[in-house]
Amino acid sequence: MDANVLPANETAIARAARLLHDGRLVAFPTETVYGLGADAMNGRAVARIFATKGRPRFNPLIVHVPGLPEAESIAVFDERAREAARRFWPGPLSLVLKRRDDSGLSLLVSAGLDTVALRVPAHPAAQQLLRAAGRPIAAPSANRSGRISPTSAADVAAELGRRVALILDGAPCPIGIESTVLDLTGLEPVLLRPGGVSLERLTEVFGTIAGAAANEHAPRSPGRLPNHYAPSLPVRLHAHEARPGEALLAFGPDVPLGFAEVLWLSPTGDLGEAAANLFAMLRRLDRPDFSGIAVMPIPEHGLGRAINDRLRRAAAPRENAEFS
Ligand code: TXA
Ligand code: MG
């Protein structure tokens, strides 16, 4: 494999921390997807993330810290934000908050906004890396912009290869879908991206959660473009019967016949299992021997919302691909 991959042990993590100090890029596992990390206080290192991913500069990055005290030195926390942190950190929730003037973050991280998205990952290797680095780490998903997020070190290597100084291998990501992004800068919490923490769980804690209206996406969450997570093959949703040459992502026990190949997101209809398999299986089916990828209907509740969100983007028309 033409990439620098090391198992995420103590020695490799210490080396990764040194590389981050030197302004280099390190890919590392989190419980959601693999991240492409850089020192969030080093503008040139952050710029390298945008260049390596081919990511538009208007799309801000999530900043990763080991715990709430570090988060509080970067953004302004009120009681509601502290409650969110107590309930869901460490874990798959990113909070959008006002940046502190003395945060020390590169301005590029926030793409010119006066807010910052913060996350405390639970994955032990991510925790160890953040503590060893001793500074906030900006990390988008470790894929080229517009493509499927990687959930294994091999997928990162296939996406970025030698363009990253080191890839820490921490086995496949247990959640497999990105963090939920919740905007807490306004009167009402706003869901900017469904993800690993379900809307139902957020609603238990905060009451009503507004969804970002479609026409608000651009200003509020610049990265939420319709065309994202795009495999090379066309993706067809809510499939009930086969079309010639198609491969199928199946969900639940009753699978229609006639597909060229079938991979099961979850044979029992378990949404957690389906989320964990989604990106890896989309990658496996994205081969020229098939005419397209069909996906059976996924229920729109719990993690199903995040799964359907990613699938809708994977299936969206491709004409805006250069911005995604
Ligand atoms: O699970 C995850 O969140 C992964 C792992 C590596 O932590 N990271 C990730 O990052 O998915 P990325 O860059 O692929 O997605 C970040 C999302 C984008 O939709 C971006 O627009 C939004 O968060 N975002 C970041 N900062 C923001 C801000 N200040 N205001 C609004 N949205 C923001
Ligand atoms: Mg991403």
Side-chain angles (χ1 to χ4, degrees):
M1 187 184 300
D2 187 31
N4 201 357
V5 184
L6 290 176
N9 57 30
E10 218 172 302
T11 322
I13 287 171
R15 180 160 156 206
R18 280 195 303 276
L19 287 166
L20 289 168
H21 270 255
D22 292 344
R24 310 282 299 279
L25 302 186
V26 171
F28 62 96
T30 82
E31 68 276 28
T32 56
V33 300
Y34 274 70
L36 177 64
D39 178 353
M41 295 174 142
N42 178 339
R44 292 184 60 181
V46 174
R48 222 162 263 149
I49 290 183
F50 285 90
T52 301
K53 280 184 62 99
R55 181 174 175 114
R57 294 275 183 127
F58 59 76
N59 189 3
L61 306 175
I62 295 175
V63 174
H64 297 65
V65 287
L68 181 57
E70 293 83 0
E72 293 212 36
S73 71
I74 291 175
V76 182
F77 277 71
D78 58 10
E79 232 351 270
R80 186 179 59 178
R82 277 194 203 100
E83 178 66 7
R86 274 194 294 271
R87 297 266 188 159
F88 298 108
W89 282 356
L93 179 68
S94 297
L95 297 176
V96 174
L97 299 166
K98 286 269 179 267
R99 267 167 82 116
R100 286 173 55 134
D101 292 336
D102 59 354
S103 71
L105 292 183
S106 140
L107 288 176
L108 201 52
V109 164
S110 299
L113 303 171
D114 61 356
T115 58
V116 60
L118 284 174
R119 163 156 140 73
V120 175
H123 195 291
Q127 274 286 330
Q128 285 157 26
L129 178 64
L130 292 170
R131 298 213 180 267
R135 58 186 69 199
I137 300 299
S141 48
N143 51 280
R144 277 177 288 132
S145 188
R147 291 176 40 91
I148 301 165
S149 300
T151 53
S152 70
D155 289 348
V156 177
E159 283 287 323
L160 301 173
R162 288 267 166 201
R163 279 177 287 187
V164 33
L166 176 61
I167 300 171
L168 291 174
D169 185 349
C173 303
I175 295 177
I177 208 153
E178 300 90 340
S179 64
T180 301
V181 181
L182 187 68
D183 183 343
L184 291 181
T185 58
L187 229 41
E188 271 193 28
V190 179
L191 181 71
L192 297 182
R193 176 175 77 180
V197 172
S198 70
L199 181 60
E200 288 85 344
R201 289 184 63 205
L202 292 176
T203 308
E204 276 170 29
V205 176
F206 297 108
T208 319
I209 310 260
N215 60 3
E216 265 192 344
H217 273 176
R220 289 205 81 146
S221 191
R224 309 258 53 219
L225 296 164
N227 194 293
H228 221 106
Y229 307 98
S232 308
L233 290 180
V235 175
R236 183 167 70 88
L237 306 182
H238 311 291
H240 291 286
E241 73 264 344
R243 291 188 187 161
E246 267 185 342
L248 179 72
L249 275 183
F251 182 82
D254 303 316
V255 173
L257 298 173
F259 286 93
E261 182 159 340
V262 178
L263 291 180
W264 258 277
L265 289 171
S266 168
T268 58
D270 180 289
L271 289 167
E273 184 184 11
N277 283 328
L278 178 67
F279 292 150
M281 288 185 173
L282 272 174
R283 277 175 191 275
R284 273 169 62 193
L285 292 182
D286 195 18
R287 301 202 311 259
D289 10 348
F290 304 125
S291 63
I293 302 171
V295 191
M296 287 175 68
I298 311 284
E300 182 73 7
H301 60 76
L303 285 180
R305 276 180 225 278
I307 295 173
N308 284 323
D309 172 80
R310 306 307 188 269
L311 284 171
R312 276 192 293 272
R313 289 167 204 279
R318 304 285 163 83
E319 52 266 18
N320 288 327
E322 72 267 30
F323 294 121
S324 60

